[in-house]
Each structure stands twice: as structure tokens, then as C-alpha cells.
Amino acid sequence: SDRFKFIARSCKEILDKYDEREDGIYYLTTNNGMKYQTFCDMNTAGGGWTLVASVHENNMNGKCSVGDRWSSQQGNNPNLPDGDGNWSNRNTFGLVESATSDDYKNPGYYDIVAQDMSVWHVPNNFPMEHWNLAAILRYHTENNFLRLYGGNLFNLFKQFPVRYNIGSCSNRGPAVPIVYDHGDTESTKNLYGPGPRNEFDPGFITFRAINHERAAMAICSGVKPRGCHCEHYCIGGGGYFHPEQCGDFPSFDWDRLGKEQGWSASKEMTESAVLLFYR
């Protein structure tokens, strides 16, 4: 079908107005009339999911260098506690076609008023037509939790700033139950070593988790922290971490002792982009 003829504010609106059920790229418009392209998942759990962002680690050894847009491209600096601040600003970057090979953020991230989220972990560099089948983990929420936090992550992170030294590890944001579309709690646990497995409960998505060193991570994908070592299993962050941890996937490239203790994430997890959808 000619997907580009449908103009709407979200993929859910296209689904509801036109009963369009083909996955792929569509045009959307913002509240102020800006037009942009993004990917629509029109089939998972009833469809209508709008891709608004992806988090991709371009260099596991970069430590908050160029390309770490969801943490800091300005270095690992306690004097820049917000880092690049992209979790709670209106910056946009990247291209939808490249969402598994680079960071991506479109205007829908701050413009769409949604109720729920879907998350896909897709191996790096996979072409868009294979994202669904290639994903190592896919899940969604279904309790309308975003209504409580302004309808999107932009507003949620205004309430729970992703900032260094904002609080202790007990000051994390909401932990929301998830429904698995591919994977389960056991496969989620197996994406991490024995250290992290003792630190979290699978079956949730958690926002703004803080570790022992007072560094703030944005999203703990598929898990709810019970301990204070969330840098081993959460992504994104503010402007300062332990020197060995900084980046969009902050400590998946751990030191030798840490790896021997089983604190690393799996190769599957570290080499997958995290795609974020609204509905």
C-alpha cells in the first residue's frame, strides 16, 4: 500500500483512522506541523506503536565520547551532571533507517501523548524489514502508565531527572510491569551474568535508576533493580559515572576482575540497539 498518504500524529492514529496494518515507515506530523518519518509497528499487541528513539552503543571503549548521545559526548565530568540531557530535551538526531546502527530520536519522543511503551532489542546493523524477527527481546506495557507522567518519556524524565548526584539508589523512578512479545523472564535473566541476576527482578521496565556512585541511568530494560549496581544492566545516563562505566551502555565493557565475577552483560545484549516505541 501507499503508506506515505497517511498523515497523522502517531501510528495509533493511522491505525484507528485508516485501519492500516502494514509495518514500515510512515509520515507523521507534530502539533506545530513539522513532518517526519518513522517506523510503525502495526501488529504487535493490536498494533499502533510509534518508534520514537533508539539507544545504540557505538563504541564500548568510548567512555562518554562522540556518539554517546544518551549519556554525554563531552566526557565523564562531574561538573556536567546532566551530560547531554537528551532524555529531557527537544533535540532530535539520527535516521529511522539507521536506528540499529546509530542513536535515533525523532520529534515524537516529546510530541506524542501516549499511554504505553514497547521495547525491542535488535542486533546492531539489522535492516528494518527484519527488526521484528531478529529481536532478542520484545515486550510492552499495558497499564497506561505514561498517563501518570505526562504522556511520554520527555515529561517522565522532567519528573525524574537523569542527572549525576540527584539522589541515592533508593530514589529510582517508576518500575512498570511488562508483557513479553518475544522472550520471557528467564531469557531476560540469561542476558546477564550471575552478578546482575542477583540484583534485579525481571519482568519490568524501570526508569531513572541510581547506583552506589550516585550516577543516574535512564532505563533498566526488562528488569527492576533490587540493589545499587544498576550500571551493569541499565542504559543511558547523566554526565558522570565511575571512569570505567561511562557511555550509553555504561558498564557493559567491565574490567577484568568484574568479568571474572560475572558482572558483564551477554554479547547479544551489548551488540543490540534498544528501540523505544509509544502507543
Side-chain angles (χ1 to χ4, degrees):
S1 65
D2 182 8
R3 293 196 303 266
F4 300 136
K5 69 183 179 183
F6 305 112
I7 306 298
R9 295 288 304 284
S10 70
C11 300
K12 179 68 162 60
E13 187 174 327
I14 291 175
L15 180 70
D16 290 345
K17 280 188 175 181
Y18 307 108
D19 196 32
E20 179 66 19
R21 296 187 177 274
E22 182 179 9
D23 295 347
I25 292 180
Y26 289 80
Y27 279 112
L28 299 178
T29 58
T30 65
N31 187 46
N32 63 11
M34 182 191 306
K35 184 185 291 187
Y36 65 98
Q37 289 180 312
T38 193
F39 178 82
C40 291
D41 168 17
M42 294 302 205
N43 290 282
T44 299
W49 299 96
T50 305
L51 176 66
V52 297
S54 74
V55 185
H56 173 269
E57 183 52 72
N58 68 312
N59 181 359
M60 294 303 299
N61 298 309
K63 310 303 181 192
C64 282
S65 55
V66 172
D68 288 328
R69 298 175 185 86
W70 294 108
S71 52
S72 173
Q73 300 185 99
Q74 307 170 75
N76 194 23
N77 189 343
N79 296 317
L80 298 171
D82 295 290
D84 289 350
N86 283 324
W87 293 102
S88 56
N89 65 28
R90 289 180 167 83
N91 293 347
T92 61
F93 41 80
L95 299 171
V96 60
E97 298 94 331
S98 305
T100 60
S101 57
D102 197 5
D103 290 331
Y104 175 57
K105 181 186 178 189
N106 67 40
Y109 179 88
Y110 59 82
D111 182 76
I112 293 172
V113 177
Q115 300 180 36
D116 282 296
M117 280 188 63
S118 174
V119 178
W120 296 7
H121 290 253
V122 180
N124 290 344
N125 303 316
F126 255 80
M128 186 178 61
E129 58 266 27
H130 301 307
W131 285 352
N132 187 306
L133 292 178
I136 61 171
L137 187 67
R138 291 188 291 113
Y139 66 78
H140 66 276
T141 68
E142 58 178 24
N143 64 354
N144 302 332
F145 82 99
L146 280 174
R147 286 183 173 179
L148 302 175
Y149 304 104
N152 52 45
L153 293 182
F154 170 81
N155 286 308
L156 185 152
F157 288 122
K158 292 289 188 184
Q159 297 181 48
F160 297 94
V162 182
R163 178 183 301 144
Y164 171 65
N165 203 21
I166 195 68
S168 69
C169 75
S170 62
N171 302 128
R172 66 180 66 101
V176 185
I178 60 176
V179 176
Y180 285 96
D181 302 299
H182 176 70
D184 52 31
T185 55
E186 193 63 25
S187 66
T188 301
K189 287 171 59 177
N190 290 334
L191 291 169
Y192 300 93
R197 290 177 207 169
N198 292 322
E199 278 264 326
F200 62 62
D201 296 314
F204 297 84
I205 182 171
T206 305
F207 301 94
R208 214 288 300 277
I210 298 172
N211 71 359
H212 273 304
E213 292 81 20
R214 303 188 307 283
M217 270 59 68
I219 292 177
C220 307
S221 187
V223 304
K224 176 171 66 173
R226 281 188 277 107
C228 299
H229 297 286
C230 52
E231 71 275 7
H232 296 289
Y233 46 88
C234 303
I235 62 173
Y240 183 69
F241 299 83
H242 184 282
E244 292 299 316
Q245 298 169 354
C246 199
D248 288 350
F249 290 11
S251 79
F252 290 156
D253 185 36
W254 196 234
D255 60 24
R256 183 173 180 275
L257 179 61
K259 288 181 179 178
E260 288 179 349
Q261 292 177 333
W263 283 95
S264 294
S266 69
K267 187 176 177 67
E268 284 183 295
M269 181 62 84
T270 59
E271 296 184 357
S272 293
V274 182
L275 308 187
L276 308 177
F277 297 78
Y278 291 157
R279 184 177 69 184

